[in-house]
């Protein structure tokens, strides 16, 4: 009796398919084991490479390492509109070790994730400074991300983290971290997260070049941007939930960053009313325990074009003045917190 060739072929394909699936599974498991052992972004999960910090890289991926660093007990959270606030200066003035966790190009969704990550790793946090710009006035309850953001790096659940490791860029970073960690004295990304953007702006050209002068003089429209007119501001609700989680002795400071006067909403316009309502909602979210530093209004410094690169990115002299107001608010908040009952 002759064998059935079609049956043999089918069985052979089944064996091949099983072996292929098993091999793929073993390869995936091996890769994940290597990724966990290497911990490419220093998230603190199980690792073999005992090297703290990360190699020089952008704050989007360095935040996971900085945000869990026990050397710091306070954080500045926001985007480039509060990026120039120096954590070393805040520490020198208050005695509280600050880390700068601002990530350029982010909105309230990402920034609240960063704040939550920091607080998970610092349940005894002494202070939190949050910069709230126009992005916080969105009416979208999902608080959508402004640009691609590695939320998986800050994820509390293992499933989200493991899925995040399955990226081509992560494979490259694993290789980079192995090489970086093997050096005797590798160059490390700034532990406190400070990044002065002035040199980057100056490399793009003279701040007084016609294009930049025109951008600083561009008048804001009378109506609010779509979805930012209120009356609901979901970011304020999320901020209130974050504030209520803080210990009574944790100083909380909400900062409305400077905006060049010529580009601010004109008084009496629907845009100005919407922005005022948004700021009121955000300020109310941190009341009564939080302090507010408001540089969004009409101040003499905001009319000086030499203090700005563009409508919303200010220069070091103005950053120092904002910094001084934050220090004052931190001291006031710390004093109030010292009198608060402990849980």
């Amino acid at each position: 009796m002759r064998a059935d060739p079609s049956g043999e072929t089918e069985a052979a394909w089944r064996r091949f398919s099983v072996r292929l699936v098993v091999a793929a599974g073993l390869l995936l498991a091996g890769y994940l084991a290597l990724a966990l052992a290497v911990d490419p972004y220093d998230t603190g999960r199980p690792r073999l490479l005992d090297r703290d910090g990360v190699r020089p890289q952008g704050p989007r991926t360095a935040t996971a390492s900085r945000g869990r660093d026990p050397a710091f007990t306070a954080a500045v959270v926001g985007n480039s509109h509060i990026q120039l606030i120096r954590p070393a200066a805040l520490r020198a003035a208050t005695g509280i070790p600050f880390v700068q966790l601002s990530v350029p190009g982010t909105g309230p969704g990402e920034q609240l994730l960063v704040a939550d990550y920091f607080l998970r790793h610092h349940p005894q946090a002494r202070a939190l400074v949050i910069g709230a710009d126009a992005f916080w006035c969105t009416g979208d309850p999902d608080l959508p991300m402004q640009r691609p953001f590695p939320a998986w790096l800050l994820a509390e659940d293992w499933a989200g983290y493991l899925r995040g490791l399955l990226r081509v860029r992560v494979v490259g970073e694993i290789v980079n971290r192995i090489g970086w960690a093997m050096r005797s004295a590798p160059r490390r990304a700034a532990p406190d997260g400070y990044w002065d953007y002035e040199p980057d702006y100056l490399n793009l050209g003279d701040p007084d070049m016609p294009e930049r002068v025109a951008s600083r003089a561009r008048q804001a429209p009378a109506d609010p941007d779509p979805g930012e007119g209120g009356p609901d501001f979901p970011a304020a609700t999320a901020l209130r939930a974050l504030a209520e989680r803080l210990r009574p002795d944790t100083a909380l400071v909400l900062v409305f960053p400077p905006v060049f006067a010529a580009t601010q909403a004109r008084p009496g316009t629907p845009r100005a009313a919407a922005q005022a309502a948004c700021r009121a909602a955000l300020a109310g979210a941190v009341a009564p325990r939080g302090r507010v530093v408001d540089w969004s209004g009409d101040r003499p410094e905001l009319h000086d074009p030499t203090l700005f690169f563009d409508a919303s990115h200010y220069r070091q002299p103005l950053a120092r003045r904002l910094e001084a107001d934050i220090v004052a608010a931190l001291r006031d908040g710390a004093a109030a917190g010292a009198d608060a009952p402990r849980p």
Side-chain angles (χ1 to χ4, degrees):
M1 186 174 181
R2 298 174 59 187
D4 182 4
S6 62
E8 292 180 0
T9 302
E10 184 177 344
W13 273 110
R14 279 200 301 269
R15 289 193 297 272
F16 173 77
S17 299
V18 169
R19 290 170 183 167
L20 184 63
V21 170
V22 170
L26 290 174
L27 183 63
L28 177 61
Y31 164 73
L32 288 176
L34 175 64
L36 288 171
V38 171
D39 192 13
Y41 297 104
D42 190 33
T43 64
R45 289 177 166 89
R47 58 183 181 173
L48 293 179
L49 295 179
D50 189 18
R51 178 79 75 174
D52 291 326
V54 291
R55 68 184 185 87
Q57 58 194 265
R60 269 177 163 71
T61 49
T63 292
S65 175
R66 291 169 176 151
R68 72 175 192 87
D69 193 335
F72 305 105
T73 58
V76 178
V77 177
N79 55 26
S80 58
H81 295 148
I82 199 169
Q83 180 180 328
L84 288 188
I85 300 305
R86 302 168 300 172
L90 298 184
R91 179 173 190 164
T94 65
I96 303 174
F98 270 86
V99 61
Q100 176 58 271
L101 297 180
S102 296
V103 181
T106 58
E110 304 95 304
Q111 292 161 30
L112 288 168
L113 280 177
V114 171
D116 179 73
Y117 179 82
F118 176 78
L119 293 173
R120 286 206 317 266
H121 289 276
H122 299 81
Q124 309 296 320
R126 296 178 61 186
L128 186 63
V129 176
I130 298 178
D133 57 9
F135 290 130
W136 282 69
C137 296
T138 176
D140 191 333
D142 293 330
L143 302 181
M145 296 183 180
Q146 304 298 314
R147 298 178 184 174
F149 183 81
W152 62 273
L153 267 180
L154 311 181
E156 190 171 9
D157 65 294
W158 275 90
Y161 179 68
L162 292 175
R163 285 194 302 269
L165 291 174
L166 301 176
R167 285 169 164 77
V168 174
R169 179 173 294 181
V170 176
V171 176
E173 190 57 36
I174 290 172
V175 175
N176 289 334
R177 183 164 179 83
I178 292 174
W180 176 82
M182 299 303 287
R183 299 173 188 169
S184 59
R187 182 165 163 259
R188 179 181 174 182
D192 71 357
Y194 183 64
W195 171 21
D196 180 4
Y197 62 58
E198 276 216 358
D200 299 298
Y201 266 93
L202 292 173
N203 286 337
L204 295 176
D206 184 352
D208 292 324
M209 61 194 301
E211 295 85 351
R212 292 191 180 180
V213 171
S215 74
R216 292 196 296 264
R218 190 174 297 119
Q219 200 172 61
D223 294 323
D225 291 336
E228 295 184 2
D232 297 322
F233 300 100
T237 302
L239 179 60
R240 182 182 300 277
L242 179 74
E244 291 174 348
R245 286 177 43 210
L246 297 178
R247 289 168 51 89
D249 55 352
T250 301
L252 174 62
V253 178
L254 179 67
V255 180
F256 297 128
V259 177
F260 189 58
T263 61
Q264 292 182 17
R266 286 162 285 165
T269 62
R271 188 182 188 90
Q275 290 181 356
C278 175
R279 289 193 296 272
L282 291 169
V286 302
R289 53 90 48 77
R291 301 295 183 265
V292 176
V293 175
D294 189 354
W295 271 76
S296 64
D298 187 15
R299 299 188 182 214
E301 298 94 330
L302 304 186
H303 292 265
D304 185 350
T306 66
L307 296 178
F308 286 84
F309 283 108
D310 55 32
S312 59
H313 290 94
Y314 45 91
R315 303 190 66 175
Q316 287 287 354
L318 186 52
R320 301 292 73 79
R321 299 175 204 184
L322 177 60
E323 206 169 71
D325 283 358
I326 293 173
V327 166
L330 284 167
R331 288 173 174 163
D332 186 34
D339 297 330
R342 301 299 189 271

